[in-house]
Amino acid sequence: MSRTRASARAAGTRFETMIARYLAEHVDDRIERRTKAGNRDRGDISGLRHGPARVVVECKDVTRMNLAGWVTETDTERSNDDAAVGIVIHKRRGTQDPGDQYVTMTVRDLVSLLTGTRP
């Protein structure tokens, strides 16, 4: 079965909602799925923080990985949101458990997350 644009969009929405609910349950109940903002997009999930630093989350449920493109997109969204950190949460095939999905970020984002200072 091939994906249509509508089915891909629906899958993305379901994935974003699943991740937002998981993070809200296990991290902070103020975390929620964010509405789209066009070219000033600020990520898919809002309300995630580490200390005083805001974290932008971009969710991907796609059949082909494009880590470089996703990280670039997330960095733009991090900048749009004036956040300290941007991470990509992407679908791990073979599991629907939100806790088993993958997280990708740059080492710069990892340092910022751990220290509170963006190098």
Side-chain angles (χ1 to χ4, degrees), residues 59-93:
C59 295
K60 297 293 183 184
D61 180 0
V62 297
T63 55
R64 291 194 185 124
M65 295 219 334
N66 178 9
L67 295 179
W70 299 344
V71 168
T72 299
E73 177 184 357
T74 303
D75 193 53
T76 299
E77 292 169 355
R78 179 200 58 76
S79 180
N80 288 345
D81 195 48
D82 199 27
V85 179
I87 65 172
V88 180
I89 299 178
H90 47 105
K91 179 75 174 108
R92 179 178 175 188
R93 297 289 160 224

Coordinates of all heavy atoms in Angstrom, one line a residue, residues 59-93:
C59 N 8.9 16.3 14.7 CA 8.5 14.8 14.7 C 8.5 14.4 13.2 O 8.0 15.1 12.4 CB 7.2 14.6 15.3 SG 7.2 14.9 17.1
K60 N 9.0 13.2 12.9 CA 9.0 12.7 11.6 C 8.5 11.2 11.6 O 9.1 10.4 12.3 CB 10.4 12.7 11.0 CG 10.9 14.1 10.8 CD 10.2 14.9 9.8 CE 10.7 16.3 9.5 NZ 9.9 17.0 8.6
D61 N 7.5 11.0 10.8 CA 7.0 9.6 10.6 C 7.0 9.4 9.1 O 6.0 9.6 8.4 CB 5.6 9.4 11.1 CG 5.1 8.0 10.9 OD1 5.8 7.2 10.3 OD2 3.9 7.7 11.3
V62 N 8.1 9.0 8.5 CA 8.3 8.9 7.1 C 9.0 7.6 6.8 O 9.5 6.9 7.6 CB 9.1 10.1 6.5 CG1 8.4 11.4 6.7 CG2 10.5 10.1 7.1
T63 N 8.9 7.2 5.5 CA 9.5 5.9 5.1 C 11.0 6.0 4.8 O 11.7 5.0 5.0 CB 8.8 5.3 3.9 OG1 8.8 6.3 2.8 CG2 7.3 5.0 4.2
R64 N 11.5 7.2 4.5 CA 12.9 7.3 4.2 C 13.5 8.3 5.2 O 13.0 9.4 5.4 CB 13.1 7.8 2.8 CG 12.7 6.8 1.7 CD 13.3 7.2 0.4 NE 12.8 6.3 -0.6 CZ 12.1 6.6 -1.7 NH1 11.8 7.8 -1.9 NH2 11.7 5.6 -2.5
M65 N 14.7 8.0 5.7 CA 15.4 8.8 6.6 C 16.1 9.9 5.8 O 16.6 9.7 4.8 CB 16.4 8.1 7.5 CG 15.7 7.1 8.4 SD 16.3 6.9 10.0 CE 17.9 7.3 10.0
N66 N 16.1 11.1 6.4 CA 16.8 12.3 5.9 C 17.4 13.1 7.1 O 16.9 14.2 7.3 CB 15.9 13.1 5.0 CG 16.6 14.3 4.4 OD1 17.8 14.5 4.6 ND2 15.8 15.2 3.8
L67 N 18.3 12.5 7.8 CA 18.7 13.1 9.1 C 19.3 14.5 8.8 O 19.0 15.4 9.6 CB 19.8 12.2 9.8 CG 19.3 10.9 10.3 CD1 20.4 10.1 10.9 CD2 18.1 11.1 11.2
A68 N 20.1 14.7 7.8 CA 20.7 16.0 7.6 C 19.6 17.1 7.3 O 19.6 18.2 7.8 CB 21.7 16.0 6.4
G69 N 18.7 16.7 6.5 CA 17.6 17.7 6.1 C 16.7 18.0 7.4 O 16.3 19.1 7.6
W70 N 16.4 16.9 8.2 CA 15.6 17.1 9.4 C 16.3 18.0 10.4 O 15.7 18.8 11.0 CB 15.3 15.8 10.0 CG 14.5 14.8 9.1 CD1 13.8 15.1 8.0 CD2 14.3 13.4 9.4 NE1 13.2 14.0 7.5 CE2 13.5 12.9 8.3 CE3 14.8 12.6 10.3 CZ2 13.1 11.6 8.2 CZ3 14.4 11.2 10.2 CH2 13.6 10.8 9.2
V71 N 17.6 17.8 10.6 CA 18.4 18.6 11.5 C 18.4 20.0 11.1 O 18.3 20.9 11.9 CB 19.8 18.0 11.8 CG1 20.7 18.9 12.5 CG2 19.7 16.6 12.5
T72 N 18.6 20.2 9.8 CA 18.6 21.6 9.3 C 17.2 22.3 9.5 O 17.2 23.4 9.9 CB 19.0 21.6 7.8 OG1 20.3 21.1 7.6 CG2 18.9 23.0 7.2
E73 N 16.2 21.5 9.2 CA 14.8 22.1 9.4 C 14.6 22.4 10.9 O 14.0 23.4 11.2 CB 13.8 21.0 8.9 CG 12.3 21.4 9.2 CD 11.4 20.3 8.8 OE1 11.8 19.2 8.3 OE2 10.2 20.5 9.0
T74 N 15.0 21.5 11.7 CA 14.8 21.7 13.2 C 15.6 22.9 13.7 O 15.2 23.6 14.5 CB 15.2 20.4 14.0 OG1 14.4 19.3 13.5 CG2 15.0 20.6 15.4
D75 N 16.8 23.1 13.1 CA 17.6 24.2 13.6 C 17.0 25.5 13.1 O 17.0 26.5 13.9 CB 19.1 24.1 13.0 CG 20.0 25.1 13.7 OD1 20.0 25.2 14.9 OD2 20.6 25.9 12.9
T76 N 16.4 25.6 12.0 CA 15.6 26.8 11.6 C 14.4 27.0 12.5 O 14.2 28.1 13.0 CB 15.1 26.6 10.1 OG1 16.2 26.4 9.2 CG2 14.2 27.8 9.7
E77 N 13.7 26.0 12.9 CA 12.6 26.1 13.8 C 13.0 26.5 15.2 O 12.4 27.3 15.9 CB 11.8 24.8 13.8 CG 11.1 24.5 12.5 CD 10.5 23.1 12.4 OE1 10.7 22.3 13.3 OE2 9.9 22.9 11.3
R78 N 14.2 26.0 15.6 CA 14.8 26.4 16.9 C 15.1 27.9 16.9 O 14.7 28.6 17.8 CB 16.1 25.6 17.2 CG 16.7 25.9 18.5 CD 18.2 25.5 18.5 NE 18.9 26.2 17.5 CZ 19.3 27.4 17.5 NH1 19.0 28.3 18.4 NH2 20.0 27.9 16.4
S79 N 15.6 28.3 15.8 CA 15.9 29.8 15.7 C 14.6 30.6 15.7 O 14.5 31.6 16.3 CB 16.7 30.0 14.4 OG 17.0 31.3 14.3
N80 N 13.6 30.1 14.9 CA 12.3 30.8 14.9 C 11.7 31.0 16.2 O 11.0 31.9 16.5 CB 11.3 30.1 14.0 CG 11.7 30.2 12.5 OD1 12.5 31.0 12.1 ND2 11.1 29.3 11.7
D81 N 11.9 30.0 17.1 CA 11.3 29.9 18.4 C 12.2 30.6 19.5 O 11.9 30.7 20.6 CB 11.0 28.5 18.8 CG 10.1 28.4 20.0 OD1 9.1 29.1 20.0 OD2 10.4 27.6 20.9
D82 N 13.5 31.0 19.1 CA 14.5 31.5 20.0 C 14.7 30.5 21.1 O 14.8 30.9 22.3 CB 14.1 32.9 20.5 CG 15.2 33.6 21.1 OD1 16.4 33.4 20.7 OD2 15.0 34.4 22.0
A83 N 14.7 29.2 20.8 CA 15.0 28.1 21.7 C 16.4 27.8 21.8 O 17.2 28.1 20.9 CB 14.1 26.9 21.3
A84 N 16.8 27.1 22.8 CA 18.2 26.7 23.0 C 18.6 25.4 22.3 O 19.7 25.3 21.9 CB 18.5 26.6 24.5
V85 N 17.6 24.5 22.2 CA 17.9 23.2 21.7 C 16.8 22.8 20.7 O 15.7 23.1 20.8 CB 17.9 22.2 22.8 CG1 18.1 20.8 22.3 CG2 18.9 22.6 23.9
G86 N 17.2 22.1 19.6 CA 16.3 21.5 18.7 C 16.6 20.0 18.6 O 17.8 19.6 18.4
I87 N 15.6 19.2 18.6 CA 15.7 17.7 18.5 C 14.7 17.2 17.5 O 13.6 17.8 17.3 CB 15.6 17.0 19.8 CG1 14.2 17.1 20.4 CG2 16.6 17.4 20.8 CD1 13.9 16.2 21.6
V88 N 15.1 16.1 16.8 CA 14.2 15.4 15.9 C 13.8 14.1 16.6 O 14.6 13.3 17.0 CB 14.9 15.1 14.6 CG1 13.9 14.4 13.6 CG2 15.4 16.4 13.9
I89 N 12.5 13.8 16.7 CA 12.0 12.5 17.1 C 11.4 11.9 15.9 O 10.5 12.4 15.2 CB 10.9 12.6 18.2 CG1 11.6 13.3 19.4 CG2 10.4 11.3 18.6 CD1 10.6 13.6 20.6
H90 N 12.0 10.7 15.5 CA 11.6 10.0 14.3 C 11.1 8.6 14.6 O 11.6 8.0 15.5 CB 12.6 10.2 13.2 CG 14.0 9.9 13.5 ND1 14.6 8.7 13.2 CD2 14.9 10.6 14.2 CE1 15.9 8.7 13.6 NE2 16.1 9.9 14.2
K91 N 10.3 8.2 13.7 CA 9.6 6.9 13.8 C 10.6 5.7 13.7 O 11.4 5.7 12.8 CB 8.5 6.7 12.7 CG 7.8 5.4 12.7 CD 6.8 5.4 13.8 CE 5.9 4.1 13.7 NZ 6.2 3.2 14.7
R92 N 10.5 4.8 14.7 CA 11.2 3.6 14.6 C 10.3 2.5 14.1 O 9.2 2.2 14.7 CB 11.7 3.2 16.0 CG 12.5 1.9 16.1 CD 13.0 1.7 17.5 NE 13.6 0.4 17.6 CZ 14.0 -0.1 18.7 NH1 13.8 0.5 19.9 NH2 14.6 -1.3 18.7
R93 N 10.5 2.0 12.9 CA 9.7 1.0 12.3 C 9.6 -0.3 13.2 O 10.5 -0.7 13.8 CB 10.2 0.6 10.9 CG 10.2 1.7 10.0 CD 8.8 2.1 9.6 NE 8.8 3.4 9.0 CZ 7.9 4.4 9.3 NH1 6.9 4.1 10.2 NH2 7.9 5.6 8.8

